[in-house]
Amino acid sequence: MREYSPDLTPQWKRPKAVPEVAADPDLVVEVAGTDFCGAVVACEAGTVTLEDRFGKRRVFPMEPRGFLLDGEVVTLIRPARRPAGPLRTASGSLAVPGARARVARAGRIYVEGRHDAELVERVWGDDLRIEGVVVEYLEGIDDLPAVVADFAPAADARLGVLVDHLVPGSKESRIAASVTSPDVLIVGHPYVDVWQAVKPSALGIPAWPVIPPGQDWKTGVCRALGWPENTGAAWQHILSRVTSYKDLEPTLLGSVEHLIDHVTAP
C-alpha cells in the first residue's frame, strides 16, 4: 500500500485554478503558447477543432489550461450533449431560443386561484411570455360579472377565464352563464380543485382519493394519502412533479390552449 504523501508545495507556488468552459460551436479561443486563434467547429473525445479567420482548421488536445478566452487562461471541456431534434417548451410547443418576452397584451387570462396560476405558469409560462399574455388570479369567481365589467373587454383586449369545477348545474356554471360578452371566453375543467388536473401517475398514486362532502377537500386529500396536513406544502410537492404537459389531464390542456388562442387571436 502506498503511503500518503502530502503536497508540501507552498500555496503561493501552486497553479491557480482556472475556469472550465464548454467547447460550444463558434466559441472563439486562442491556443495557449501559440498565435493560433479560431472558432470551435468540432469537439471529439479529448480534442477540439478550431477554424481561424482564413478558414484554416487545426486540431488541438483539450489539455488543462490550454486555451485563452478573452485573454484569460481556461480549460476547455466537452459541451453537454444536446437532445436530438427541436427543443420544446413544457407545453409541447416548439421552443424559440433567445426569444424575448413580448410586451404585455391588453388581453388577460384569469384563473380562480394561486395554485391554478402557478400550474399554468409551470407548463405554459414560456409560451405566454412570448405571446405577451399575463395570467392573474381571482380568488374564486363569485364576483366574476363585476370583474368582467371592470375589465371592459373588447376585440383588442380579450379576456379568458379558467374555472374550477365547471360542470352542468353547478354554481360555477350559473355564474359563467351570466357573462355574455363576445370578447370573453370562459372555459373550465370538471375537477373539484386544480390539484386533480395533475395525473395521479405523476405523483406515484393510483388515483385521487374521493373525499366525502362536508370536509375541506385539500385537507381530506392529505389525510387520505398520508401526507402532513399542510396543504401549502402538499401543493408544492404536487407542483414539483409536473415537468410538462404530459403530467396534466387532457381536459385542462384543452381548456388552457383554447384560452391562449382566444386572447392572442388577431
Side-chain angles (χ1 to χ4, degrees):
M1 179 182 296
R2 296 181 58 184
E3 294 184 359
Y4 169 70
S5 179
D7 185 356
L8 300 179
T9 305
Q11 188 69 34
W12 62 272
K13 284 189 176 182
R14 298 179 187 177
K16 294 182 179 179
V18 300
E20 292 185 340
V21 177
D24 289 318
D26 299 326
L27 177 74
V28 177
V29 293
E30 180 182 349
V31 182
T34 76
D35 59 357
F36 192 93
C37 180
V40 174
V41 294
C43 183
E44 305 294 339
T47 65
V48 62
T49 303
L50 304 179
E51 179 178 289
D52 68 11
R53 61 192 180 95
F54 302 109
K56 182 179 180 180
R57 296 187 177 189
R58 290 180 59 182
V59 179
F60 298 92
M62 291 197 298
E63 298 176 344
R65 307 171 63 87
F67 301 86
L68 302 178
L69 177 62
D70 296 331
E72 301 293 329
V73 178
V74 298
T75 296
L76 288 187
I77 60 175
R78 292 190 71 180
R81 179 173 295 179
R82 292 183 172 86
L87 297 177
R88 293 186 177 271
T89 67
S91 71
S93 302
L94 287 176
V96 184
R100 294 185 178 182
R102 177 174 174 167
V103 174
R105 296 174 182 265
R108 291 286 188 275
I109 291 177
Y110 284 169
V111 297
E112 279 206 58
R114 181 171 58 85
H115 293 178
D116 304 65
E118 290 176 344
L119 188 59
V120 169
E121 162 62 26
R122 191 167 189 88
V123 175
W124 288 274
D126 290 337
D127 308 64
L128 293 169
R129 279 183 284 278
I130 289 176
E131 294 291 349
V133 178
V134 175
V135 175
E136 300 181 11
Y137 59 91
L138 300 169
E139 291 293 357
I141 67 163
D142 289 348
D143 298 324
L144 182 61
V147 170
V148 171
D150 185 63
F151 183 85
D156 59 348
R158 294 184 179 91
L159 180 62
V161 183
L162 179 68
V163 178
D164 294 344
H165 197 231
L166 189 61
V167 296
S170 65
K171 176 191 74 172
E172 291 81 3
S173 66
R174 291 191 294 272
I175 293 174
S178 68
V179 178
T180 58
S181 169
D183 299 309
V184 179
L185 175 65
I186 301 176
V187 297
H189 56 73
Y191 311 114
V192 174
D193 190 274
V194 77
W195 287 22
Q196 285 183 296
V198 178
K199 290 181 177 178
S201 58
L203 299 169
I205 60 176
W208 284 101
V210 177
I211 307 303
Q215 62 175 287
D216 179 72
W217 186 85
K218 293 177 182 177
T219 302
V221 166
C222 292
R223 290 173 182 164
L225 295 177
W227 295 350
E229 293 183 23
N230 181 331
T231 57
W235 169 244
Q236 290 306 313
H237 168 68
I238 295 167
L239 187 63
S240 71
R241 303 302 294 270
V242 177
T243 59
S244 79
Y245 71 98
K246 296 179 182 179
D247 297 318
L248 301 182
E249 297 289 356
T251 304
L252 179 66
L253 295 175
S255 293
V256 176
E257 295 287 352
H258 197 182
L259 290 176
I260 295 174
D261 290 344
H262 172 74
V263 174
T264 60

